[in-house]
Amino acid sequence: MMKTMKTPFTILSLAASSTAFSPAPLNGQYSSSSSSTRLHFFEGLDKAFEDAGPLGKGITVGKVQVGLAVSGAERTESDSIFAMLEKHARNNDDIGSSYDADYEDGYGDSELSKMCHETCLALLRKSDNWVSACSDSEWFKEQDMGKAESLYNLWADREACKFEKEYIPPEGSAPVEGNPTVAVVSLVIEIQGDETNFDRAGFSLADTKNVLTSIASDCRVEGGDCLNAVEVFWTPSEPTEVLSERDTIIDFPELITL
């Protein structure tokens, strides 16, 4: 029997100007998955000839997903993680209208990196409510920037294809009494260097915190200039929608129970 997928919010997908790759078209999105180890027999040799930046060598594409239990009241609170994500989603067009518009002062203080930072902090503050998580990443040489961008797009599109539509509640809409649910927040990230930690989210609370803390810290390096792109998805979107644990297992099989 065909099951209707829950609705996500697509927030923001920007490619920042950097030495990693030329700015991509600006449009909205973002997401994450489970940490795995790959065997790259020549990776050490590759890295030996790479120029190091503030966060190390090359480019890393990573993703992290967190499932958390959310009460009905929290889903409609003005200071909840959902309210914060909705705010960034509504501002997506303003941020993405031009590359220069992503900087509110003259010192490279990227709105994109602020959004990524705030999302990670909001998830960390809800660590008592986490029920599952996972992460994954892949490193690329700087000359393989096209492959890095391709993988980033692939992972983001895989998350977007899970849902029927994108929905953002209009600003100022009357609050609706929410239902308790399991929610999943997913981030897909492309960041310069090889130092950002995407390993072992879901293996323990401590490992999951380490991943989110590393992303939150590194996305702000040099005013956010090291963050090439980020895409965030979350579901369910409407306060009355419910994502059961069974739905989570079917729709997000990579998640590891904490």
Side-chain angles (χ1 to χ4, degrees):
M1 184 173 71
M2 184 175 295
K3 183 175 72 67
T4 300
M5 307 290 280
K6 299 297 185 280
T7 304
F9 285 1
T10 298
I11 298 179
L12 178 63
S13 175
L14 295 182
S17 176
S18 70
T19 57
F21 61 87
S22 300
L26 302 176
N27 45 43
Q29 307 174 344
Y30 60 70
S31 146
S32 151
S33 165
S34 156
S35 182
S36 62
T37 302
R38 292 179 173 81
L39 295 177
H40 295 293
F41 293 104
F42 299 100
E43 183 176 282
L45 186 61
D46 288 340
K47 288 189 177 183
F49 295 98
E50 286 286 302
D51 293 328
L55 293 174
K57 299 180 177 182
I59 306 165
T60 300
V61 177
K63 53 183 178 177
V64 59
Q65 292 177 288
V66 178
L68 62 161
V70 185
S71 68
E74 184 180 0
R75 298 186 68 181
T76 56
E77 290 175 354
S78 60
D79 59 348
S80 70
I81 184 173
F82 298 105
M84 182 271 294
L85 292 171
E86 289 168 13
K87 180 190 72 174
H88 282 295
R90 294 190 191 100
N91 293 337
N92 180 39
D93 289 340
D94 294 335
I95 295 174
S97 58
S98 72
Y99 174 73
D100 291 337
D102 191 34
Y103 296 86
E104 64 178 15
D105 51 34
Y107 303 96
D109 196 10
S110 168
E111 287 293 323
L112 177 64
S113 69
K114 287 181 182 178
M115 177 272 298
C116 184
H117 182 255
E118 288 180 12
T119 302
C120 291
L121 288 186
L123 287 171
L124 285 164
R125 289 174 181 138
K126 293 296 180 183
S127 60
D128 289 344
N129 296 344
W130 292 350
V131 296
S132 57
C134 59
S135 60
D136 195 5
S137 67
E138 188 166 339
W139 180 84
F140 296 87
K141 296 182 292 184
E142 189 172 336
Q143 70 184 51
D144 290 334
M145 60 186 75
K147 294 180 181 178
E149 188 174 0
S150 178
L151 180 64
Y152 169 84
N153 292 333
L154 174 65
W155 282 356
D157 288 346
R158 281 180 178 172
E159 291 305 315
C161 288
K162 294 179 180 180
F163 310 104
E164 290 182 334
K165 63 178 181 179
E166 298 174 12
Y167 172 77
I168 304 171
E171 189 172 10
S173 56
V176 178
E177 184 176 353
N179 294 321
T181 185
V182 173
V184 178
V185 179
S186 306
L187 295 92
V188 176
I189 296 167
E190 181 174 329
I191 192 165
Q192 298 172 37
D194 58 356
E195 296 179 2
T196 305
N197 176 27
F198 289 96
D199 294 337
R200 296 177 59 85
F203 283 69
S204 70
L205 283 173
D207 288 331
T208 306
K209 287 179 180 179
N210 288 340
V211 170
L212 290 171
T213 300
S214 179
I215 295 170
S217 174
D218 289 352
C219 75
R220 300 292 282 147
V221 170
E222 299 214 333
D225 282 347
C226 292
L227 182 65
N228 293 335
V230 62
E231 203 157 340
V232 178
F233 300 89
W234 72 99
T235 187
S237 58
E238 298 184 66
T240 56
E241 284 186 303
V242 174
L243 187 69
S244 68
E245 290 192 27
R246 182 178 179 276
D247 293 332
T248 305
I249 292 171
I250 294 173
D251 299 342
F252 302 94
E254 308 94 341
L255 288 171
I256 304 169
T257 302
L258 290 167

